[in-house]
Every structure is written in C-alpha cells, then in structure tokens.
Amino acid sequence: KLFPFAPGAQLKADDPIAELASRKDRLLEVQVAETQLTEAKAARDAAERAGKQKIRAAEAELNQAKANKVSDLAAIDARLDYLAIQSKSAARQVARLKELKDKGGTVADEDMEKAELLKAQADAELAATRALRKKTETTYDETEKAAIAGSIP
C-alpha cells in the first residue's frame, strides 16, 4: 500500500510512504518473539531461584553434617577413653593373678579365665570402637565433600 503525496511535498520524519502487505504478519511475529522472550526470562529467573535454593539446602546439609560430626566423634572418643581404661584395668588384673600364681599363691583357674576373658572382651570392644570412629569420621568427611560439591554454583 502506498501513501499518496503531492508532487514536491516535503516529508517529515516518521511519515509513512508505504506499508508492506505482510506488515500485520511481521507485527504478529514480533509479538510472538516478545512473548517468547518474556517466557524465557521468567524460566531463567525460576531456574536461578531454584539453583539458589538448592545451594542453600546443600549449605544447610553441610552445616548439619559438621555439627553432627563433632558431637558424634566426641561421644565415640569418650567411649574410647572408657574402654582404654577398662582394657588397662583388665590387663592389670590378669597380671596380678599371674604374679600371685607365680609366687605360689592360690588362684583358681576359673578366676584366671574370667580375668583373661574380661581383658579380651575389653580389647575387642576397644578395637571395634576405634574402627567405628574411623568409619564415622570417614562418612562425615565424605558427606561434607558431597555437600560442598552440591553447593558449588
């Protein structure tokens, strides 16, 4: 479509001189593109919010793991201390009974076996608790690494 002008007329800025037949189609395409852009921006913003939330969750998990690690290891360490004392005490009891027997004292075989059994039991519990401590510490360390990895943007 052409806009008629008188011969010699001067055009002003933004005066239309023609309109393409496909103008309405092009305007619709621009509207579609603008809508797609708006939707893409909204999707990007939602993904960014979700990512930030995921980072906050990973950081909270990391903090929880750190707090639990300290208290759990402290409890195991206290048990280790107790078991070490128990093992030493049982070893001293066995040594006393052996010494008494070696000096000619009367020590029932049953008493000696009980003392040796108590020492073996204390040693076994001590070894098992040491293994538990190592496992617990490793588990927390790996959980911490995973949480840190999950919080890296």
Side-chain angles (χ1 to χ4, degrees), residues 105-117:
T106 304
V107 176
D109 289 340
E110 184 180 324
D111 290 339
M112 188 60 141
E113 287 172 4
K114 283 181 184 177
E116 288 172 343
L117 179 61

Side-chain angles (χ1 to χ4, degrees), residues 43-62:
R44 181 204 60 210
D45 292 345
E48 185 177 349
R49 284 191 305 275
K52 286 179 180 178
Q53 184 61 33
K54 187 173 181 179
I55 289 170
R56 281 194 293 275
E59 287 171 343
E61 182 182 334
L62 175 61

Side-chain angles (χ1 to χ4, degrees), residues 70-143:
V70 170
S71 62
D72 286 353
L73 291 179
I76 293 171
D77 287 342
R79 178 147 174 79
L80 282 170
D81 292 343
Y82 164 74
L83 291 171
I85 292 168
Q86 189 177 28
S87 177
K88 288 176 186 174
S89 176
R92 284 193 303 269
Q93 179 66 16
V94 169
R96 278 194 298 273
L97 290 174
K98 282 184 180 180
E99 184 181 343
L100 181 59
K101 192 172 187 178
D102 290 345
K103 290 182 179 181
T106 304
V107 176
D109 289 340
E110 184 180 324
D111 290 339
M112 188 60 141
E113 287 172 4
K114 283 181 184 177
E116 288 172 343
L117 179 61
L118 286 174
K119 182 182 180 330
Q121 182 181 3
D123 289 344
E125 285 186 45
L126 185 59
T129 304
R130 282 183 180 136
L132 175 64
R133 189 196 192 286
K134 183 163 182 60
K135 178 184 174 190
T136 301
E137 187 170 23
T138 300
T139 299
Y140 277 114
D141 289 345
E142 293 305 313
T143 300

